[in-house]
Amino acid sequence: ADDTATAKGAASLWRAPIDEFRRLLLHDPAVAWDFVSLLALRQRQMERRLGSFAFKRTEARLAETFRELSGGFATRCDHGFGQHLRLTQQELADLVGASRPVVSTILNELRDKGVLGYNREYVCVRRIEDIERVYSHGMSLAQCKTWLKQNLPQAEKLALASNAEAARRARLADD
């Protein structure tokens, strides 16, 4: 059976015979480097996803998926930080390895708490100003310093030994 894919937006597709692709990689080191870098990035992403499936709760996997799909919710919209993610709840469930009812329940709980807004056109993180504390690995905090200063100036930043430890602390925090 042939593999298929469906684009959610504009897409470009290039199909080349394998021999032509090999010649391109052999004769253009920059293209070869970019290709190997892309493969390495995809491998790291897959390793993270496998670790998430094995060790993280559905809520954490859903949050990571939103962050991945949105580029980190870097865009401010009229009602918070949002992205127009045109995905059904079933598609989200498939991405995080959960059932649609579980994803729907989590999204509704977050919406009821005022943390998240969503409809068929967008997902939006609301009330970002209510975040009081950011737990993270020190390197991650340093990498996000400018964004944190601009968007969460009120939040206490706590550097921990790892992002896994930060996630545990955040989950156990009572605020």
Side-chain angles (χ1 to χ4, degrees):
D2 290 333
D3 290 332
T4 62
T6 304
K8 289 284 188 179
S12 296
L13 182 65
W14 176 59
R15 183 177 168 147
I18 190 70
D19 291 336
E20 185 179 328
F21 186 64
R22 281 189 187 123
R23 277 193 302 278
L24 174 66
L25 295 178
L26 285 171
H27 296 305
D28 193 333
V31 171
W33 180 258
D34 289 345
F35 182 68
V36 169
S37 296
L38 181 63
L39 289 177
L41 173 66
R42 293 293 296 154
Q43 181 178 355
R44 285 191 304 275
Q45 289 172 335
M46 291 308 297
E47 288 170 354
R48 271 196 305 272
R49 289 194 74 188
L50 285 173
S52 290
F53 284 127
F55 302 112
K56 293 184 180 175
R57 296 169 45 108
T58 305
E59 294 88 340
R61 294 194 312 265
L62 189 59
E64 286 177 355
T65 300
F66 281 144
R67 187 183 67 237
E68 212 173 85
L69 292 172
S70 70
F73 287 107
T75 306
R76 196 173 233 329
C77 61
D78 293 337
H79 27 73
F81 283 83
Q83 278 294 332
H84 291 268
L85 303 175
R86 296 175 195 268
L87 294 172
T88 66
Q89 289 183 3
Q90 184 59 57
E91 289 169 326
L92 278 172
D94 293 343
L95 286 171
V96 300
S99 67
R100 192 210 50 78
V102 168
V103 168
S104 179
T105 299
I106 293 168
L107 290 174
N108 289 335
E109 287 173 359
L110 292 171
R111 183 176 54 196
D112 292 346
K113 291 178 183 177
V115 173
L116 190 71
Y118 71 91
N119 64 26
R120 293 184 187 273
E121 298 297 318
Y122 73 90
V123 173
C124 178
V125 177
R126 295 185 172 158
R127 293 183 17 204
I128 195 166
E129 62 279 353
D130 289 352
I131 296 173
E132 296 176 2
R133 220 168 268 110
V134 176
Y135 299 96
S136 189
H137 184 270
M139 181 63 72
S140 299
L141 287 174
Q143 290 170 340
C144 299
K145 182 180 177 181
T146 303
W147 190 92
L148 289 168
K149 186 176 182 178
Q150 289 173 346
N151 297 289
L152 293 172
Q154 78 289 353
E156 178 183 8
K157 286 76 171 176
L158 298 167
L160 298 171
S162 69
N163 282 325
E165 176 61 23
R168 278 190 288 280
R169 287 278 299 275
R171 185 171 44 106
L172 297 173
D174 48 343
D175 53 348

